[in-house]
Amino acid sequence: STLVIAIFITVFVTFFTLEQNGLIQHNKQKDDYPVAEYKAIFIEKLDQGEYRLSHKPSNQTAVCHQGYLFIQSDKNDGMQGLLVDYKNRGVRCGELVSK
């Protein structure tokens, strides 16, 4: 039992020391975190216009809002995120406006 208590005390002292020295970083901007990760894949078109992909739903829906594509959760209305590329540029949807 002394060994178990020593382990807990060691973990607590280590955590407290790292926190006091600022070595544990906390995200201060709660709005700036990924909701989900996505990747684009090439899907071969089969005969009769069908595509080969999973038939299970992702429980997420894409929504076009003010010309940008947002992904929102079907289960939690408060979870919505802007779809961006690898340089954090918003993915456009709908009609493109000429510059």
Side-chain angles (χ1 to χ4, degrees):
S1 67
T2 306
L3 181 60
V4 173
I5 293 172
I7 290 172
F8 280 117
I9 291 172
T10 304
V11 169
F12 177 75
V13 169
T14 302
F15 173 77
F16 184 74
T17 303
L18 291 173
E19 181 71 31
Q20 288 299 319
N21 291 325
L23 297 174
I24 298 177
Q25 297 182 6
H26 301 280
N27 186 4
K28 293 179 181 170
Q29 292 180 322
K30 299 298 180 192
D31 294 338
D32 191 23
Y33 64 93
V35 174
E37 291 187 26
Y38 296 93
K39 61 181 177 179
I41 58 172
F42 176 73
I43 300 176
E44 292 185 37
K45 192 172 188 180
L46 303 175
D47 296 334
Q48 298 95 22
E50 296 179 4
Y51 295 98
R52 172 180 269 164
L53 57 110
S54 174
H55 294 287
K56 291 182 178 181
S58 67
N59 296 324
Q60 297 169 343
T61 303
V63 178
C64 188
H65 181 68
Q66 295 181 350
Y68 289 98
L69 189 60
F70 285 80
I71 302 295
Q72 67 184 23
S73 173
D74 294 341
K75 294 181 178 181
N76 183 352
D77 292 337
M79 293 294 288
Q80 183 181 47
L82 174 64
L83 192 63
V84 296
D85 67 1
Y86 68 99
K87 290 187 175 183
N88 287 337
R89 297 176 296 201
V91 175
R92 308 255 326 167
C93 61
E95 294 184 25
L96 294 176
V97 178
S98 348
K99 293 181 180 179

